[in-house]
């Protein structure tokens, strides 16, 4: 049976290519000098993974400079897994056998392709694979695909999550890439932890109702289990913080991605991002494993949600803040850990087929939202925010999204004016081939 993640927008590319001097419509702002990178799963020809997340990693890159789109290139992340090396060996998991297909970030001058079940893989500026990266031998566990770089200190906060004790370890790396701190977090469980958040003073972990289940054989051994308590863990940042973690019960659910978290004026922790209930999780999971009868549409049921955690009362209030199906939340990362006004996301059709693909902007101050649909047969990827030079406001900048276009069998990068999603795109970069719909990416400016 053909899997949905091998068809349509998700049809894998079969080779690695490079193209130069891409056609640009509109005016590409000269201040956009750097590389837009997008990672995702791209199974090799002839390989049908049992779960979308197990497909080999492929990074697509677009190099912008001086108002020109200089090149596009796509490269598999050349890990042992690409050549068929098993993840599980007789000695346990092989942390260097990664698919490294979830995210790509830059930190301390290194490009790191990430996947939460393995070590990062370092790539060159031209996307060639260097090899597994373990912070000079100091990282002996897996690394989340969603590390957070503090916009003020430049430090990289991240975690290791495992289905087995100690379950959760918190790490901090310096601006130079030195691993400064690794602390086991008490009270954690085998709950799936894909993302987390930091505030100026705290680290926020999310444990949902989806947890390790060795009896789940459809692809990856995780499943929704009603007995698994859903909780948010809040601990002070910095050395010794893990011992002071406090866990707060929340309603059953699962959250893949945190948009942001911050402390409000009353000292409460506010956490936001898309979340699913049981039906929503099953909708996504059935697509991820290509369950019989699920259909090929990657529709979803995740809704923007807010949790407000009050350490004085020990209580959490939570609610859905919108009725649009969204995923891939992004913000102006200069506000990471601080109160943000604007959040962006990709919107999807729901599980009844209602709604369309597009990019949405939330204004948290007014409660309003602006949706830009991308058109029939087109699917946008995570919209990466890039501030304008000398920006005077939070949304004075650009949203960069790679759109898969089935009609043209090609892709375009839309450069949208983040202050007005309804405006004509600032620029459209035409890519020579379709970028397989995928997961996360980053803008890596040249000064980095
Ligand atoms: Fe993710």
């Amino acid at each position: 049976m053909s899997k949905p993640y091998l068809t349509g927008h998700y049809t894998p590319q079969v080779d690695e290519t490079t193209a130069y001097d891409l056609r640009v419509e509109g005016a590409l702002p000269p201040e956009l000098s750097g590389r837009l990178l997008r990672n995702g799963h791209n199974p090799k020809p002839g390989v049908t993974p049992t779960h979308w997340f197990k497909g080999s990693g492929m990074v697509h890159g677009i190099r912008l400079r001086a108002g020109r789109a200089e090149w596009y290139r796509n490269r598999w992340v050349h890990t042992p897994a690409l050549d068929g090396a098993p993840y599980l060996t007789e000695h346990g998991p092989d942390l260097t056998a990664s698919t490294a297909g979830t995210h790509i970030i830059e930190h301390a001058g290194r490009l790191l392709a990430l996947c939460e079940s393995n070590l990062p893989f370092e790539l060159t500026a031209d996307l060639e694979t260097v090899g597994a990266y373990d912070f000079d031998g100091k990282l002996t566990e897996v690394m989340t695909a969603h590390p957070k770089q503090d916009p003020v200190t430049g430090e990289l906060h991240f975690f290791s999550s495992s289905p087995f004790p100690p379950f959760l370890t918190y790490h901090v790396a310096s601006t130079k890439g030195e691993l400064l701190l690794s602390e086991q977090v008490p009270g954690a469980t085998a709950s799936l932890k894909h993302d987390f958040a930091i505030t100026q003073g705290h680290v926020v972990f999310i444990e949902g109702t989806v947890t390790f289940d060795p009896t789940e054989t459809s692809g990856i051994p995780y499943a929704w289990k009603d007995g698994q308590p859903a909780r948010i863990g809040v601990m002070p940042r910095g050395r010794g913080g893990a011992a002071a973690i406090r866990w707060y019960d929340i309603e059953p659910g699962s959250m893949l991605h945190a948009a942001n978290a911050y402390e409000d004026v009353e000292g409460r922790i506010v956490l936001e991002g898309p979340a699913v209930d049981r039906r929503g999780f099953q909708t996504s999971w059935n697509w991820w494993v290509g369950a019989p009868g699920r259909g090929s549409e990657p529709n979803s049921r995740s809704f923007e949600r807010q949790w407000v955690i009050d350490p004085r009362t020990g209580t959490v209030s939570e609610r859905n803040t919108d009725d649009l199906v969204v995923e891939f939340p992004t913000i102006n990362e200069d506000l990471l850990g601080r109160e943000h006004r604007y959040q962006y996301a990709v919107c999807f059709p729901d599980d009844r087929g209602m709604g369309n693909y597009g990019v949405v902007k939330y204004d948290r101050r007014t409660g309003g939202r602006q949706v830009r649909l991308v058109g029939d047969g087109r699917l946008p990827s995570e919209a990466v925010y890039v501030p304008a030079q000398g920006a005077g406001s939070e949304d004075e900048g650009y949203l960069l999204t790679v759109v898969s276009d089935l009609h043209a069998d090609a892709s375009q990068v839309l450069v949208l004016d983040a202050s007005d999603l309804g405006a004509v795109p600032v620029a459209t970069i035409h890519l020579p081939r379709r970028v397989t719909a995928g997961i996360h990416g980053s803008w890596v400016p040249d000064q980095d």
Side-chain angles (χ1 to χ4, degrees):
M1 184 186 71
S2 180
K3 296 286 189 178
Y5 43 83
L6 297 177
T7 64
H9 294 290
Y10 296 83
T11 307
Q13 291 296 348
V14 298
D15 57 4
E16 301 177 332
T17 57
T18 307
Y20 298 94
D21 289 327
L22 312 175
R23 184 163 70 86
V24 177
E25 278 179 79
L28 203 48
E31 63 187 295
L32 289 178
S33 188
R35 286 159 291 156
L36 176 65
L37 306 176
R38 221 295 319 279
N39 203 350
H41 298 292
N42 191 90
K44 285 204 308 185
V47 174
T48 300
T50 53
H51 193 294
W52 181 38
F53 297 167
K54 292 166 82 170
S56 298
M58 179 180 275
V59 176
H60 301 259
I62 300 100
R63 209 273 185 258
L64 310 183
R65 182 157 41 197
R68 293 173 51 230
E70 289 188 346
W71 52 250
Y72 159 83
R73 67 185 70 209
N74 67 306
R75 296 289 183 274
W76 268 297
V77 188
H78 285 262
T79 73
L82 184 68
D83 297 320
Y87 176 60
L88 285 175
T89 71
E90 59 186 25
H91 307 295
D94 179 352
L95 301 187
T96 70
S98 179
T99 59
T102 308
H103 198 353
I104 179 162
I105 64 155
E106 187 269 353
H107 183 70
R110 284 190 179 82
L111 284 184
L112 299 176
L114 302 169
C115 166
E116 68 195 23
S117 55
N118 296 89
L119 289 171
F121 262 73
E122 185 177 354
L123 307 185
T124 68
D126 288 338
L127 310 184
E128 304 300 336
T129 302
V130 177
Y133 180 69
D134 62 3
F135 292 83
D136 294 326
K138 291 183 178 171
L139 182 64
T140 57
E141 303 174 86
V142 302
M143 178 173 174
T144 173
H146 287 287
K148 307 292 179 210
Q149 183 168 311
D150 186 289
V152 174
T153 69
E155 289 176 336
L156 194 70
H157 297 245
F158 60 98
F159 65 90
S160 306
S161 178
S162 165
F164 306 108
F167 299 117
L168 181 61
T169 310
Y170 163 63
H171 307 275
V172 181
S174 74
T175 54
K176 294 179 178 170
E178 304 153 322
L179 196 59
L180 300 174
L181 176 71
S182 296
E183 291 187 356
Q184 292 180 6
V185 179
T189 73
S191 168
L192 179 68
K193 286 174 278 292
H194 180 67
D195 199 355
F196 78 132
I198 59 171
T199 69
Q200 288 179 277
H202 294 89
V203 183
V204 182
F205 293 108
I206 306 130
E207 288 207 334
T209 317
V210 176
T211 190
F212 178 63
D213 180 358
T215 68
E216 174 62 48
T217 57
S218 63
I220 290 175
Y222 282 84
W224 180 286
K225 291 181 88 170
D226 286 328
Q228 170 69 36
R231 304 177 307 162
I232 292 173
V234 179
M235 57 175 258
R237 275 172 59 161
R239 192 169 298 281
I245 193 163
R246 187 171 172 191
W247 292 94
Y248 299 85
D249 290 336
I250 58 174
E251 292 177 20
S254 182
M255 181 196 212
L256 271 185
H257 299 119
N260 197 21
Y262 62 90
E263 284 117 8
D264 71 9
V265 291
E266 296 176 47
R268 299 175 302 185
I269 309 286
V270 180
L271 169 68
E272 294 180 355
V276 291
D277 59 12
R278 182 181 186 137
R279 174 177 154 196
F281 172 74
Q282 209 59 51
T283 298
S284 294
W285 184 270
N286 286 348
W287 190 89
W288 295 340
V289 300
R294 167 61 174 83
S296 61
E297 276 296 304
N299 48 26
S300 175
R301 277 192 59 80
S302 56
F303 300 103
E304 187 69 20
R305 194 164 176 85
Q306 180 189 69
W307 295 262
V308 180
I309 303 139
D310 190 336
R312 290 169 303 183
T313 61
T315 58
V316 180
S317 61
E318 56 184 295
R319 65 188 179 98
N320 284 3
T321 56
D322 193 40
D323 58 1
L324 203 61
V325 171
V326 290
E327 247 301 344
F328 302 113
T330 51
I331 60 166
N332 178 340
E333 294 197 357
D334 290 346
L335 276 300
L336 193 134
R338 284 82 180 154
E339 181 164 9
H340 60 296
R341 176 171 175 179
Y342 302 109
Q343 188 214 302
Y344 312 95
V346 174
C347 57
F348 291 81
D350 68 16
D351 60 349
R352 297 166 301 164
M354 303 297 287
N356 284 295
Y357 298 116
V359 178
V360 58
K361 173 185 182 181
Y362 289 117
D363 184 337
R364 300 177 64 257
R365 190 171 299 169
T366 65
R369 76 182 187 207
Q370 187 180 22
V371 177
R372 184 190 184 90
L373 300 179
V374 292
D376 183 45
R378 289 158 59 83
L379 174 63
S381 65
E382 181 175 74
V384 178
Y385 181 87
V386 184
Q389 217 163 37
S393 62
E394 183 183 327
D395 62 346
E396 190 179 340
Y398 310 100
L399 284 175
L400 274 51
T401 178
V402 182
V403 175
S404 164
D405 185 334
L406 286 182
H407 297 311
D409 194 26
S411 283
Q412 302 96 42
V413 177
L414 297 185
V415 181
L416 302 175
D417 177 351
S419 71
D420 182 8
L421 293 195
V424 173
V426 176
T428 301
I429 305 164
H430 292 269
L431 306 184
R433 67 186 338 188
R434 196 177 41 72
V435 170
T436 310
I439 311 195
H440 302 291
S442 297
W443 170 252
V444 181
D446 281 340
Q447 62 264 33
D448 283 6

